[in-house]
Structures are given as structure tokens and as C-alpha cells.
DNA sequence: CGATGTTCATGCGGATTTTGGTGGCAGAAG
DNA sequence: CTTCTGCCACCAAAATCCGCATGAACATCG
């Protein structure tokens, strides 16, 4: 597993390398943002650790640029305690997770493992659609600031739709995603699930967002259409 | 500015005293960890220089103990170049900085200056949430000024949650952080741990802060939500 | 030994699924 | 254009299942 550490603090960089190599990663280190970018464009990395504040180019900028260039690995951002963490949250920088300095090596390693495990599912980006907000980091969906209390399956279902608004998802696909491939459930379970989610959306005043497409499946649609 | 040097190597200790005194510090020397501890409990020091490897009690142990006793001065750790050290752990133990032997006297002095500067500014870094206070410098957690007596794992767990309030931490991640990666425990150990922590929180009158999120994990939540 | 940490067995309650019934839509037939 | 018919979405409540909490027993470490 190849990993690039972009960190200007020499000592921290050294420390990181030590721990990561001991954990079996193949580690490269970049001293600043520009260097990190160059390295990424030259070599292939599975994971990236970016310091938030670096000379020449900040971690956010690097992450944003790389995502535009279709970088698909996991990105972990390092921030100092006193910097606004909300920034990480709010900005859709492309980072998947963050860690506040100082941190413990086992938390770092655990988060990295979590990242490589769920490579494609970013943690901290948010997706919104007509007042519905999906916050991956807290596994929460809310409507107009009202958090909606969803069970695991309900969450999986709604977030699936939310990630592809307006697009029809077939019943088959939904079942495979929510229950896993080869799940042994009746077709009706999905109906029941949909009903529950709709009820919960109603309860917080969200309009009729989940549209059923007869014979195909479901989609999230503009309530005023 | 009073400073204590704990170093078993006589020649190095002598050298340090020389340089430090020349730089205007008032210097005491301890020969090993236990002695250092005693001195600190007797006199007040602004700064500490601890050798990593010492007879009777290592620098880490001394630092950890002192932090628990609310020692607030800066701690600088000395390490040999070739020892393969768990640096992060070292810093976690309460040290503020470290220096690899052999070193130049001016680097030593520079780091000491940085340390004492940092002391004067807002130094005690704490994280708080609804009356719960995590004090990183002393590695303690308290509720409404009541210190909570936590075991190592309990502390790890609660501080993990505390560092990301409101955010759901998956059972997997928690286990990896608290027990380490690849720990061989039953899933149930976490349940048990949670129960203990909750009980201790109850005991000091803290409300229901640890929320379980079925199917996901746990999070620290607003008790009035 | 005592403190700390882990497992076991059990019970509860919420989450999930099933059942069975209703209604509406669409295309075919009148 | 209207009616019929079958399929499918939808609903409510009941049944089942599973995750989690719990207390006590057991192990481990200092």
C-alpha cells in the first residue's frame, strides 16, 4: 500500500514515516503542497496524508486539485487543534477524513485502515438536495437542520438516492446496495422500507421527495415538478 | 528560570549544566528517573529535560507521572539516535518536545526558548463538551470539576468520543483505536467498556452523554436533544 | 491478593421483515 | 369513451430477529 505524507514539520513527518513504515506502508514524504502535487502526478498512491497548513499550497488546495484530476485514493487531512474544524466540514475540499494534532498513532492507523476499506465513500463531504443534507461524517441526514433519526437500512437507502438525485434507481439495484448482494428477502421489504423513510421525512416536514417510478424503482425528485 | 536536567550520563549532564547556566538558567541535575520525580515534587521547575532511557524510571514514566500531578512546565525529552522509539507515544506521555542525541547546544537552547514561550501563552489544551473536560496535558477527564477516575481503556474510549462530539464513531474504529489494530477480543468487550464508562459518568452526575447508534456505533450527544 | 480487563449467558426492546388487505393505474376489451 | 382485470404500490399491524445492555464469573497483570 503506497502512501504519500505531505507535511512541512520535519519532526512530525519523520514520526509519521516511522509509524507508517512499521505498519507496513510504503511511504514517501513531500515537504509542501506543490511538491505533494508533483509527486502525485508522477506516482500512484493509495492514500494521502495532507497537512492543512503547508508552505506554497495548503492541504485543501492540494486535495481539491487532485480530486479534479480524478485522484481516487483516500485523503486524510491533518489540522491543528485551534484551527476551525468546521472548515474541513464545510468546504468540500475532497478530503475523506481528518485528524486533529496531536494524535495517537493507533488512531491514525485506524483511520487509514478505515479509509482504504471504504475507499470510495468519503466521510466528510456533504450532499444536499432540496433541503435534505447528507453528512457522511456523522452518518446523519437532516432536513432544514432537523436531524432525521434513521436506522441503518433507512440511511443506506436514502443516501443512495441522495447521491444520485433525479436518477431512477431500480428496485434490484437498491436491494443489492441496501441489503447486499444475494440477500434473501421478499420484494416487499423494500416497499416497507420506503414507507418508513417517507413517514420519517413527513414527520420533519420534508415534502414528497421520494418518487416511485412504476415498474422500475425510485428516484429523488423536485417536489415542485 | 529554573530547570531540572535528568540524565544518567555524567559527562552529558555536566555539559548540559554548563551550557544552560551560561544561558542564564538556574540548573539542578538528577541522576535517574526516581530522583527526578522527587526533585520535582519538592521544588518548582519551569522546564524539564529528561533523558529517555534512565535507570529506575524512564523519561516517559517521569513525564506521565508529573503530568498527572498537574506539573505545568515544559518537558523536553532526549533520545538516542539509534533507539527505535515510539515517538508519538512519548509525546502522548506528556512531553512537549524532543531532541535526538547528539545535538547542538544552540538547538537545545532554541527549543527550550520555544517551550517556555509556549508555556506563557494559552497552554493547557482542553476539549470540552457539556461539562465534560478532557485535559490533554494531564491526561484526565472530569465532569463539572469532578475528576473521573478512568482506566487506560476507558480513558482512550471517552477521549476518542470527546475529540469528535456529535460524530458517530463506528464500533470497528473504536475497537481499533482503543485496543489497537488486530486485537483479538470479542465484540462484546466494547459493550462492557461502554457500560463501565457510563456507570462512572453517572456516578459523578453526568447526564446521558454517550448515545448508542444502533448498527453503527457510538457518539457523544447533547443530553437535551 | 486486588485492580483491571474480558467473556459468558441471558433478557429486552427496537429494528426488520412478513403477512394480508386495499387501492389505483394501465392496457385490453367492450 | 367506459369498463374490466391484473399487476403493482402502498399500508398497518403482527411476528420475528438481532443488537445491545447487563451482572456475574473468569482471567490477567502488577
Amino acid at each position: 500500500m503506497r502512501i504519500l505524507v505531505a507535511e512541512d514539520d520535519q519532526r512530525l513527518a519523520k514520526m509519521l514515516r516511522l509509524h507508517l513504515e512499521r505498519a507496513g506502508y510504503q511511504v514517501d514524504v513531500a515537504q509542501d503542497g506543490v511538491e505533494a502535487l508533483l509527486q502525485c502526478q508522477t506516482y500512484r498512491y493509495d492514500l494521502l496524508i495532507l497537512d492543512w497548513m503547508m508552505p506554497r499550497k495548503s492541504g485543501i488546495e492540494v486535495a481539491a486539485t487532485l480530486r479534479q484530476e480524478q485522484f481516487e485514493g483516500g485523503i486524510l487531512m491533518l489540522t491543528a487543534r485551534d484551527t476551525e474544524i468546521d472548515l474541513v466540514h464545510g468546504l468540500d475540499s475532497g478530503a475523506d477524513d481528518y485528524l486533529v494534532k496531536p494524535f495517537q498513532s493507533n488512531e491514525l492507523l485506524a483511520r487509514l485502515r478505515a479509509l482504504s476499506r471504504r475507499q470510495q465513500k468519503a466521510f466528510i463531504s456533504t450532499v444536499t438536495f432540496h433541503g435534505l443534507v447528507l453528512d457522511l461524517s456523522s452518518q446523519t441526514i437532516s432536513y432544514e437542520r432537523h436531524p432525521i433519526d434513521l436506522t441503518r437500512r433507512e440511511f443506506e437507502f436514502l443516501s443512495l438516492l441522495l447521491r444520485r438525485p433525479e436518477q431512477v434507481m431500480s428496485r434490484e439495484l437498491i436491494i443489492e446496495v441496501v441489503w447486499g448482494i444475494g440477500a434473501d428477502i421478499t420484494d416487499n421489504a423494500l416497499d416497507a422500507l420506503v414507507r418508513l423513510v417517507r413517514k420519517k421525512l413527513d414527520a420533519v416536514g420534508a415534502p414528497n421527495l421520494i418518487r416511485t417510478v412504476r415498474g422500475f424503482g425510485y428516484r429523488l425528485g423536485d417536489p415542485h415538478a
Side-chain angles (χ1 to χ4, degrees), chain A residues 126-175:
Chain A
T126 61
V127 187
T128 65
F129 180 76
H130 285 279
L132 269 189
V133 178
L134 167 62
D135 182 343
L136 279 313
S137 72
S138 60
Q139 299 275 300
T140 300
I141 295 181
S142 45
Y143 177 72
E144 308 275 356
R145 299 262 152 210
H146 286 276
I148 307 174
D149 188 35
L150 298 172
T151 68
R152 194 178 32 194
R153 294 216 144 82
E154 292 162 357
F155 177 82
E156 277 296 331
F157 169 69
L158 190 50
S159 65
L160 174 63
L161 289 188
L162 214 35
R163 269 177 297 211
R164 298 257 199 289
E166 296 290 2
Q167 191 173 326
V168 180
M169 308 300 262
S170 74
R171 297 178 66 92
E172 277 174 342
L173 180 72
I174 293 174
I175 288 177

Side-chain angles (χ1 to χ4, degrees), chain A residues 55-225:
Chain A
R56 300 217 279 168
K57 224 175 182 62
S58 76
I60 322 167
E61 291 176 273
V62 175
T65 308
L66 284 175
R67 286 301 187 208
Q68 281 196 341
E69 294 174 7
Q70 315 296 328
F71 175 77
E72 289 182 349
I75 299 183
L76 180 73
M77 199 73 82
L78 299 183
T79 78
R81 175 162 304 288
D82 45 11
T83 50
E84 274 295 321
I85 294 171
D86 279 343
L87 286 178
V88 185
H89 251 90
L91 280 178
D92 190 33
S93 60
D96 298 303
D97 199 0
Y98 69 94
L99 204 49
V100 176
K101 293 187 277 192
F103 48 83
Q104 297 206 326
S105 66
N106 50 358
E107 182 166 2
L108 170 71
L109 293 177
R111 290 201 182 279
L112 284 179
R113 277 170 46 105
L115 267 192
S116 48
R117 229 183 291 129
R118 44 165 113 180
Q119 198 72 267
Q120 49 278 74
K121 283 197 231 165
F123 281 38
I124 60 177
S125 59
T126 61
V127 187
T128 65
F129 180 76
H130 285 279
L132 269 189
V133 178
L134 167 62
D135 182 343
L136 279 313
S137 72
S138 60
Q139 299 275 300
T140 300
I141 295 181
S142 45
Y143 177 72
E144 308 275 356
R145 299 262 152 210
H146 286 276
I148 307 174
D149 188 35
L150 298 172
T151 68
R152 194 178 32 194
R153 294 216 144 82
E154 292 162 357
F155 177 82
E156 277 296 331
F157 169 69
L158 190 50
S159 65
L160 174 63
L161 289 188
L162 214 35
R163 269 177 297 211
R164 298 257 199 289
E166 296 290 2
Q167 191 173 326
V168 180
M169 308 300 262
S170 74
R171 297 178 66 92
E172 277 174 342
L173 180 72
I174 293 174
I175 288 177
E176 282 191 358
V177 170
V178 174
W179 278 270
I181 297 174
D184 185 26
I185 53 160
T186 337
D187 211 43
N188 224 339
L190 177 56
D191 298 337
L193 184 65
V194 172
R195 192 179 150 275
L196 290 175
V197 175
R198 278 183 169 145
K199 199 193 266 182
K200 289 192 177 175
L201 286 180
D202 269 356
V204 294
N208 179 31
L209 291 169
I210 301 178
R211 307 299 192 72
T212 106
V213 182
R214 221 186 160 71
F216 292 100
Y218 298 87
R219 72 183 173 92
L220 232 53
D222 188 328
H224 312 298

